[in-house]
Amino acid sequence: RQNGWIFGAIDGQHWAWFGDEAISPTVDWSMGFYGDVERAYDNIMFTGPNHLMVISAGNQRLEGPDTQPTEHHEWDGDSWELVQDVRELDGGPNGFDSLPPGQSTKNAVISGATFKNAGGYSGPGSVRMSGFSCWGPPDDGRVKPDNVAPGVSIFVGETGGGYGFADGTSFSAPITTGVVGLISEHYQNAFNSTPSGAMLRTLLN
């Protein structure tokens, strides 16, 4: 499900808001909501306890038009209409409760994106969160994201050849996954047993 503010989603020219006015006229209810997607993910990890999902936190914190009111699309139940209602940016004024559907899963590791730290880790103050990476808490008050990793100015291959730099929690999540793999390997070497997903999640955090 698309959620929150997305520019150009309907006509390529206007913002579109994917909330439901019947639930809230200013905030997209689906951000931070524990729904069918989250339940399905948690069931996978419950029935396969050695599995651990790592999911990117999403990139739309504080997404939305710079000035309001601004003409934007809204779904009225039958079609998209252009309106000028005032709504919050994704996550409100501070960006909290901006997790998209799927990222409020309880048993997965939700990975947020930080700036790279050239000087190495020297405490919490040395970690700088990106401006786009989504934050919790979800609606039930849990802490999210569970983990952060570099996701700004990541050196990547580009479609069609060549290389460049890109931002996103889609880069921090694979880094986190690699760390989970290394922890799992070390655990198996040390204890000659396979760690559960819950154990890996605990050791990671």
Side-chain angles (χ1 to χ4, degrees), residues 62-102:
L62 298 176
E63 190 80 358
D66 294 331
T67 59
Q68 293 201 49
T70 188
E71 194 171 50
H72 63 276
H73 282 99
E74 169 197 86
W75 182 254
D76 68 358
D78 296 308
S79 62
W80 289 98
E81 288 188 346
L82 281 171
V83 299
Q84 293 205 35
D85 298 329
V86 175
R87 313 183 194 280
E88 288 190 1
L89 300 179
D90 291 347
N94 298 311
F96 295 109
D97 193 13
S98 56
L99 292 167

Side-chain angles (χ1 to χ4, degrees), residues 57-61 95 98-100 112 129 132-136 144-145 169:
N59 304 322
Q60 59 261 53
R61 179 163 58 96
S98 56
L99 292 167
M129 195 70 175
F132 56 81
S133 184
C134 291
W135 286 351
K144 293 289 177 181
T169 57

Side-chain angles (χ1 to χ4, degrees), residues 12-198:
Q13 301 177 24
H14 295 86
W15 284 97
W17 186 70
F18 286 84
D20 185 342
E21 275 210 329
I23 298 175
S24 172
T26 59
V27 177
D28 185 347
W29 65 272
S30 69
M31 289 184 163
F33 180 75
Y34 188 93
D36 292 342
V37 175
E38 287 82 0
R39 188 179 300 109
Y41 288 165
D42 281 332
N43 281 337
I44 289 171
M45 287 175 282
F46 179 78
T47 56
N50 287 335
H51 293 288
L52 177 63
M53 290 184 179
V54 177
I55 302 173
S56 58
N59 304 322
Q60 59 261 53
R61 179 163 58 96
L62 298 176
E63 190 80 358
D66 294 331
T67 59
Q68 293 201 49
T70 188
E71 194 171 50
H72 63 276
H73 282 99
E74 169 197 86
W75 182 254
D76 68 358
D78 296 308
S79 62
W80 289 98
E81 288 188 346
L82 281 171
V83 299
Q84 293 205 35
D85 298 329
V86 175
R87 313 183 194 280
E88 288 190 1
L89 300 179
D90 291 347
N94 298 311
F96 295 109
D97 193 13
S98 56
L99 292 167
Q103 277 80 338
S104 294
T105 305
K106 294 178 180 179
N107 297 323
V109 173
I110 308 302
S111 181
T114 65
F115 286 86
K116 290 181 287 188
N117 193 337
Y121 180 80
S122 59
S126 66
V127 178
R128 288 193 302 140
M129 195 70 175
S130 65
F132 56 81
S133 184
C134 291
W135 286 351
D139 296 345
D140 57 13
R142 286 172 290 121
V143 174
K144 293 289 177 181
D146 303 290
N147 162 273
V148 294
V152 179
S153 296
I154 303 300
F155 188 61
V156 297
E158 295 184 332
T159 303
Y163 300 91
F165 293 89
D167 304 337
T169 57
S170 291
F171 302 108
S172 63
I175 292 172
T176 299
T177 303
V179 174
V180 170
L182 291 172
I183 293 173
S184 178
E185 180 183 33
H186 181 67
Y187 188 99
Q188 291 178 66
N189 290 337
F191 300 105
N192 195 31
S193 65
T194 301
S196 67

